[in-house]
Amino acid sequence: MRIIKTTDYENMSRMAANIISAQVILKPDCVLGLATGSTPIGTYEELVRRYDRGDLDFSGVTSINLDEYKGLSPENDQSYRYFMNEHLFSHVNIRPEKTYVPDGLEADGEKACASYNEIIRQSGGIDLQLLGLGHNGHIGFNEPADAFDKETHCVDLTQSTIDANARFFASMDEVPKQAYTMGIGTIMRAGKILVVVSGADKAQIVKDAFFGPVTPQVPASILQFHRDVTLVGDEAALSLIP
Ligand code: F6R
């Protein structure tokens, strides 16, 4: 594993954008696995700046996102499709039909997961997977569990996640209770993995995930078995690394 320590969030974002830019420049028809959450926002901003300067061309790129809330439409501002449009897709020349996010409106979980697995298979596999890290070690919506889930699956959100999301919705009924997520097997088959972490609140889980035992109770710990992982973090997030 390569570890790149930066002074702060801004430099972490620039460094992560460097790695994604290199991927897009060296393989213009690459498949990028993308994440939502607060950590990659600066990375996406930086990629948009580079696109605006004429340094990046996304016209050949395919993107496949990690996850989506079940029941949310692309127009819902809490959906991950909306997030991706807002932070990246609407600002660069990626072809909209080449951007994939699980279909939150597909009520049939088996169908939604099977068709996402098929999209991933037909893409030829992910060249570079961008990941954030949850405080409990989750990647995508792969939460701590007794076993690693390999392929796309439907997850029951924990009550704490449902409660935390409640503030974004008009009523409790509208708060998603389930989500679709790419599985650990798909993530592990990506050619390269880029993990971004920022802030002191991530320091303990960074240490546990990358220097502790490999266990499905800390889903990101499986990344210790991947042959090409780059961890980019600011000093605060990497402060407990031995
Ligand atoms: C997002 C995702 C999540 C986040 C994780 C960290 O698509 O899959 O696993 O990466 O929850 O989120 P932040 O970056 O908000 O700390």
Side-chain angles (χ1 to χ4, degrees), residues 96-152:
E97 68 276 16
K98 289 284 198 185
T99 65
Y100 297 100
V101 179
D103 181 1
L105 288 183
E106 176 54 71
D108 180 339
E110 262 178 45
K111 202 167 150 198
C113 296
S115 71
Y116 210 59
N117 286 334
E118 186 54 21
I119 286 166
I120 296 165
R121 198 189 62 75
Q122 284 194 6
S123 77
I126 293 163
D127 292 297
L128 173 66
Q129 176 67 55
L130 174 64
L131 294 175
L133 180 64
H135 289 107
N136 60 2
H138 73 224
I139 45 178
F141 262 121
N142 294 278
E143 297 287 358
D146 294 334
F148 292 109
D149 265 302
K150 293 194 189 71
E151 311 301 333
T152 309

Side-chain angles (χ1 to χ4, degrees), residues 34-234:
L34 297 178
T36 61
S38 53
T39 316
I41 289 177
T43 305
Y44 294 144
E45 283 172 359
E46 188 60 35
L47 290 174
V48 171
R49 270 195 285 277
R50 288 168 196 213
Y51 169 76
D52 286 341
R53 282 203 304 262
D55 292 338
L56 274 183
D57 176 10
F58 289 88
S59 61
V61 171
T62 297
S63 72
I64 303 186
N65 260 77
L66 283 167
D67 41 18
E68 179 59 286
Y69 288 115
K70 185 177 176 187
L72 294 198
S73 75
E75 292 75 37
N76 189 309
D77 62 4
Q78 294 305 314
S79 75
Y80 287 173
R81 163 60 77 178
Y82 189 96
F83 175 102
M84 289 308 302
N85 288 344
E86 282 289 288
H87 291 287
L88 185 65
F89 300 155
S90 309
H91 306 288
V92 299
N93 66 337
I94 194 164
R95 288 161 58 200
E97 68 276 16
K98 289 284 198 185
T99 65
Y100 297 100
V101 179
D103 181 1
L105 288 183
E106 176 54 71
D108 180 339
E110 262 178 45
K111 202 167 150 198
C113 296
S115 71
Y116 210 59
N117 286 334
E118 186 54 21
I119 286 166
I120 296 165
R121 198 189 62 75
Q122 284 194 6
S123 77
I126 293 163
D127 292 297
L128 173 66
Q129 176 67 55
L130 174 64
L131 294 175
L133 180 64
H135 289 107
N136 60 2
H138 73 224
I139 45 178
F141 262 121
N142 294 278
E143 297 287 358
D146 294 334
F148 292 109
D149 265 302
K150 293 194 189 71
E151 311 301 333
T152 309
H153 55 284
C154 184
V155 188
D156 293 326
L157 301 178
T158 59
Q159 195 55 47
S160 65
T161 303
I162 297 169
D163 292 344
N165 286 343
R167 66 187 191 280
F168 300 119
F169 295 87
S171 77
M172 205 59 190
D173 286 348
E174 291 173 39
V175 186
K177 312 288 183 303
Q178 291 182 306
Y180 295 129
T181 184
M182 200 185 267
I184 295 285
T186 308
I187 294 171
M188 288 297 282
R189 283 194 296 276
K192 294 181 168 56
I193 292 188
L194 169 61
V195 188
V196 285
V197 286
S198 172
D201 56 316
K202 293 284 171 77
Q204 185 61 49
I205 193 61
V206 167
K207 184 180 174 207
D208 294 346
F210 296 102
F211 296 91
V214 174
T215 161
Q217 294 301 334
V218 183
S221 65
I222 192 81
L223 300 174
Q224 293 180 38
F225 291 151
H226 193 283
R227 58 180 157 43
D228 193 337
V229 177
T230 305
L231 172 64
V232 181
D234 57 20

